């Protein structure tokens, strides 16, 4: 194979198989062995996301579809992916997947160089090596002196998707470069997103759940004539495009946010030339980008004099279930509206697609999936990686149905129950602190509220996993409220046990006496209002008992 390293022939995609073994596969092998693979298992979760989207772009182009729900159902029922069609496509694009090809290296620009021929270290590619922060990484500088081409290929894909913003190398041929520098254009496209990926029991199911039909263009435009990945277009020039609009989801899956050249060969990669590539404003791309929740932005809407939606990133301090209402098509999107008359959130297009499949009978509504949330929180000016978010929740796909939204609404109502109780606990903790002499907003309430959310994290996921079309909805909500009530009382008891003598005596605040007995009375009254179903008759509390 000479000095080349072709991603269609060489193993480079890390996967976890059904026996729990970690392996590396080439792109065609991933599709061939997908039924026996649990998931992609990259070096970091964001790598999983970036590689999955690359595979989806490849699969869409190989199949030239699916066209519609019926076409999708045929693929779903087959038990294996159509490897013959995939192989024919792989043969057609084979010459564009070599990392070190002289004229068209994969995801790179041939001959990319700076005026002084500087080459950066591989720490510019690797997400778990913060620049200037060697104490906070598990990798040594020596381990990055040379990298296997398989790993370099993974980080190359990751860089286009998640590379931080900041000043990059100015390269010859880029008219925007000044004094050897390329000034910030933002993070990689996926870095804007709060990534949302439905997952099945194996990689075949995961790929198909994310394989959106072309007929679904009303909500997600994908697979049009111009919606092409880089390996089917002309090789990029050193200068990035400033105003090229994305042409569809495939284009976004493989968006070339950077201009890159790996320095090395199949024996090892020793450096990288990395500059800015195609700029992409994140406004109003919800009809093209299916893997994120979108939020209505009032300030931007006023500025641009039209409704503006922005991708909603994940908050590392907030479990994904707490924002489930914005994620479900049954509770977010064109079916709901806020004060502005516009929906506050638009659910991810991929979940709308699954809801469509269920509503049309192409996917069994009892099918259970995991919805995985992946994203990045960047540091100052988005120029460094601060934290990677990776979370998931189990759902029956019936929760997604916008034509029958009751189940999804119940999931959202349960979060509202938790929020209401958390608010009551916050006030209780603050009242106790102030009764003892603390100033308002002492932090006691914040701590108690976060403790409650932590206590409810596993129970909510377990409760949600049990919801399906056979659930008695009032009973299910009453069971949940009882669990919230118990958790609140337990935490309140701990607060009472540590209350000082001064808090029992209390003091006058805003012309009202506040002490422990009064704070407890107010707290219990608030819980009765927030959790009104606690004392409802529940014939079967087995779900609650299992979580005790």
């Amino acid at each position: 194979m000479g000095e080349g390293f072709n991603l269609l022939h060489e193993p480079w995609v890390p996967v976890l198989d059904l026996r729990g073994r970690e392996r590396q596969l080439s792109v065609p092998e991933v599709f061939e062995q997908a039924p026996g693979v649990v998931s992609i298992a990259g070096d970091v979760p964001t790598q999983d996301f970036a590689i999955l989207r690359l595979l989806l772009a490849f699969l869409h182009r190989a199949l030239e579809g699916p066209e519609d729900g019926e076409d999708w159902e045929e693929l779903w029922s087959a038990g294996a992916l159509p490897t013959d069609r995939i192989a024919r496509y792989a043969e057609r694009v084979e010459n564009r997947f070599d990392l070190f090809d002289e004229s068209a290296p994969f995801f790179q620009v041939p001959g990319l160089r700076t005026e002084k021929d500087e080459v950066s270290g591989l720490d510019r590619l690797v997400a778990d090596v913060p620049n200037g922060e060697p104490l906070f990484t598990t990798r040594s500088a020596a381990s990055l002196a040379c990298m296997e081409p398989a790993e370099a290929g993974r980080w190359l894909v990751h860089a286009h998707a998640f590379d931080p913003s900041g000043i990059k190398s100015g390269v010859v041929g880029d008219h925007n470069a000044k004094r050897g520098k390329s000034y910030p254009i933002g993070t990689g496209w996926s870095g804007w997103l709060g990534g949302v990926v439905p997952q099945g029991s194996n990689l075949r199911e995961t790929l198909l759940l994310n394989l959106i039909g072309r007929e679904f263009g009303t909500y997600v435009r994908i697979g049009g004539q111009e919606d092409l990945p880089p390996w089917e277009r002309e090789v990029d020039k050193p200068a990035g495009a400033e105003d090229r609009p994305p042409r569809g989801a495939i284009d976004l899956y493989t968006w070339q946010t950077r201009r890159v050249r790996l320095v090395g060969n199949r024996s090892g990669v020793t450096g990288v030339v990395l500059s800015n590539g195609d700029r992409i404003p994140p406004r109003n791309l919800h009809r093209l980008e299916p893997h994120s929740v979108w939020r209505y932005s009032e300030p931007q809407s006023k500025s641009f004099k039209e409704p503006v939606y922005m991708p909603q990133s994940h908050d590392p301090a907030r479990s994904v279930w707490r924002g489930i209402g914005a994620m479900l098509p049954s509770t977010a999107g064109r079916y709901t509206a806020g004060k502005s008359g516009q929906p506050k959130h638009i659910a991810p297009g991929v979940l709308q697609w699954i809801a469509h499949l269920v509503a049309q009978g192409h996917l069994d509504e009892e099918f259970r999936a995991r919805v995985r949330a992946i994203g990045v929180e960047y540091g100052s000016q988005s120029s460094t990686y601060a934290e990677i978010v990776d979370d998931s929740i189990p759902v029956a796909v019936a929760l997604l149905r916008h034509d029958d939204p009751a189940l999804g609404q119940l999931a959202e109502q349960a979060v509202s129950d938790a929020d209401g109780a958390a608010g009551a606990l916050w006030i209780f903790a603050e009242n106790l602190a102030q009764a003892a002499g603390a100033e308002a907003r002492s932090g006691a309430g914040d701590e108690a509220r976060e403790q409650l959310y932590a206590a409810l994290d596993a129970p909510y996921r377990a409760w949600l996993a049990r919801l399906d079309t056979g659930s008695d909805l009032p009973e299910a909500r009453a069971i949940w409220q009882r669990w919230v009530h118990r958790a609140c009382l337990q935490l309140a008891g701990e607060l009472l046990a540590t209350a000082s003598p001064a808090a029992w005596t209390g003091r006058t605040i805003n012309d009202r006496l506040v002490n422990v007995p009064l704070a407890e009375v107010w707290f219990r009254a608030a819980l009765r209002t927030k959790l009104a179903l606690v004392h409802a008759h529940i014939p079967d509390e087995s779900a609650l008992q299992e979580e005790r």
Side-chain angles (χ1 to χ4, degrees), residues 108 112 114 118-126 156 159 169 259-264 269-275:
Q108 299 166 75
L112 190 72
T114 68
E118 299 107 330
V119 174
S120 299
L122 295 174
D123 59 311
R124 295 295 298 273
L125 282 181
V126 179
L156 172 64
S169 299
R259 295 293 185 259
V260 188
R261 179 173 66 87
L262 298 177
V263 177
V269 175
T270 56
V272 62
V273 179
L274 189 148
S275 188

Side-chain angles (χ1 to χ4, degrees), residues 361-438:
H362 300 303
L363 178 63
D364 187 346
E365 64 181 359
E366 298 300 326
F367 179 79
R368 294 181 180 274
R370 298 193 71 82
V371 176
R372 188 178 180 189
I374 300 175
V376 171
E377 182 182 51
Y378 293 97
S380 176
Q381 298 181 319
S382 297
S383 61
T384 59
Y385 297 106
E387 190 166 348
I388 291 178
V389 176
D390 185 16
D391 196 358
S392 65
I393 51 174
V395 296
V397 293
L399 268 78
L400 308 179
R401 292 188 63 165
H402 54 70
D403 61 324
D404 188 8
L407 211 56
Q409 289 170 351
L410 175 61
E412 182 183 35
Q413 289 162 355
V415 175
S416 296
D417 293 337
D419 290 340
L425 186 64
W426 185 93
I427 293 171
F428 178 59
E430 285 291 321
N431 280 338
L432 293 185
Q434 290 183 57

